[in-house]
Amino acid sequence: MREPPSRRSAAWIAGAVLALGVSAAPAQIYKYKDAQGKWHFTDRPPAAVKQDAELVGQGARTSTAPVQGSLVERLGKAFTPGSPAEAASLAVVTVKTPIGNGSGFFVSSDGYLITNRHVVRPEETGQWRDATDRLEKAEADFRAADAVLTEHAQYLQAMREARGELEDEIKRSSSSSARSRLQRRQAQLEAEYAVRSKRYYDVKRNVDEKRCVFESVRSEFNRRGAATTLATNFTVVLKDQSKVQARLVGLSENADLALLKVDGYETPHLEVASAGEVIQGMKVYAVGSPLGMADAMTAGVVTRVRGDHIMTDARVLPGNSGGPLILEDGRVVGVNTLKIAPSIGAEGFGVAIPVGLAATEFPQIRGR
């Protein structure tokens, strides 16, 4: 059995990353125009696109940033962990993006950190769907109100035509009694037109308000969506709530994984447990920033192990994505990725990607 590390041991917050690997996709941004002339931006090489695609950005690069200090020392002074699991939380961060937040964790002393691909490219996440739902609702409200306004406009047009026909009929009438009857109808029509006209302008004001809301939501969605699609730099929040900048280094083509790097600091990092150590019934902890709460931890057991995933009953909530699934001794076994439940808000299972897969996806952390 492994001897427990001392209370202030650096082994609690440091370790080696499994050194196996093959190449991963670099964080590149391509710009191309489709057949309809619409511009698209993508981080995947657009092999299926016939038009030429211009490479407009590349996140993977060698840093020459000077070392600015030790986050290990800073966080070690700020916190006195009471367990290896709590010590491991020093290496866990919140990753802030234009569309929302996720989690991540350091895997090397020189600032490499792992998160989910969908955290930094959240086109299919719940946060992205929520933003899309808000846009669709704002558009639906505007379209529905505009349809009502169109009906009122058509009715007023019909009344104006009826009013003109009635005026012509009054002019042609040779009988005073008939003319009097037609004039009474005319007065009724004018009164009804005045009421309908007021109603039309009330509806129009409502439509104008809903149009403003829709255009505002659409503008914000487009702005944040473009920023999310193109972002290669992210704010990372540490356990002490201080912030540093991380750059995008790699996006996995084969798994929901991304690699970021914080330059210029010595960073705390997690030791990786071997894949063979993870078995059903083991106690595990999911660490991250669920539901906007920074530095949170949930506990459970491993319920199922497969080659491409680890399932646990530890609660994995929105914001946990990209954070580590760790053992009681603080070593990381997986990257928390999603929750499986029968319905929204229901209890379910958390799913994590085995952390060893990250080492096979990203050569930058090979041998660390």
Side-chain angles (χ1 to χ4, degrees), residues 234-246:
F234 302 90
T235 297
V236 169
V237 185
L238 306 174
K239 185 179 176 75
D240 64 357
Q241 298 306 296
S242 63
K243 298 176 182 178
V244 293
Q245 292 300 304

Side-chain angles (χ1 to χ4, degrees), residues 93-303:
V93 303
T94 298
V95 180
K96 301 180 76 67
T97 75
I99 203 73
N101 299 333
S103 301
F105 57 96
F106 289 108
V107 292
S108 74
S109 62
D110 59 348
Y112 282 104
L113 67 90
I114 292 173
T115 185
N116 284 140
R117 180 189 176 100
H118 77 252
V119 169
V120 295
R121 292 290 182 266
E123 295 91 338
E124 300 300 328
T125 65
Q127 294 167 332
W128 184 272
R129 287 191 293 273
D130 288 345
T132 302
D133 289 345
R134 287 194 294 273
L135 176 61
E136 291 177 349
K137 183 181 184 305
E139 182 176 13
D141 289 346
F142 163 61
R143 301 298 180 198
D146 193 51
V148 173
L149 182 65
T150 298
E151 292 179 0
H152 280 281
Q154 292 173 343
Y155 194 87
L156 285 176
Q157 179 61 31
M159 292 186 71
R160 283 192 292 270
E161 293 174 358
R163 186 171 57 181
E165 293 174 356
L166 187 58
E167 288 175 353
D168 290 341
E169 192 173 351
I170 291 173
K171 292 177 181 179
R172 293 194 301 269
S173 177
S174 57
S175 167
S176 59
S177 59
R179 186 180 299 108
S180 177
R181 174 174 55 80
L182 292 172
Q183 287 173 339
R184 286 195 299 272
R185 283 179 54 192
Q186 185 182 43
Q188 293 172 349
L189 185 61
E190 292 293 341
E192 184 180 357
Y193 183 84
V195 172
R196 290 283 185 173
S197 182
K198 181 180 182 303
R199 190 175 303 173
Y200 168 83
Y201 285 107
D202 289 341
V203 172
K204 187 177 185 304
R205 280 192 293 272
N206 182 50
V207 170
D208 291 341
E209 290 174 3
K210 291 187 181 298
R211 179 187 288 108
C212 287
V213 170
F214 167 53
E215 290 177 350
S216 175
V217 173
R218 180 174 60 183
S219 176
E220 178 67 6
F221 179 85
N222 289 339
R223 183 188 67 79
R224 296 179 69 185
T228 298
T229 302
L230 297 175
T232 57
N233 290 282
F234 302 90
T235 297
V236 169
V237 185
L238 306 174
K239 185 179 176 75
D240 64 357
Q241 298 306 296
S242 63
K243 298 176 182 178
V244 293
Q245 292 300 304
R247 59 184 172 86
L248 181 61
V249 173
L251 295 166
S252 171
E253 294 285 348
N254 305 306
D256 188 5
L257 295 169
L259 186 68
L260 307 183
K261 190 172 190 303
V262 172
D263 292 317
Y265 290 96
E266 179 192 5
T267 54
H269 60 287
L270 300 184
E271 181 181 355
V272 174
S274 64
E277 294 183 67
V278 185
I279 60 175
Q280 284 180 311
M282 292 185 73
K283 189 167 186 178
V284 288
Y285 300 89
V287 191
S289 303
L291 304 176
M293 298 182 298
D295 188 30
M297 188 179 298
T298 57
V301 297
V302 173
T303 61

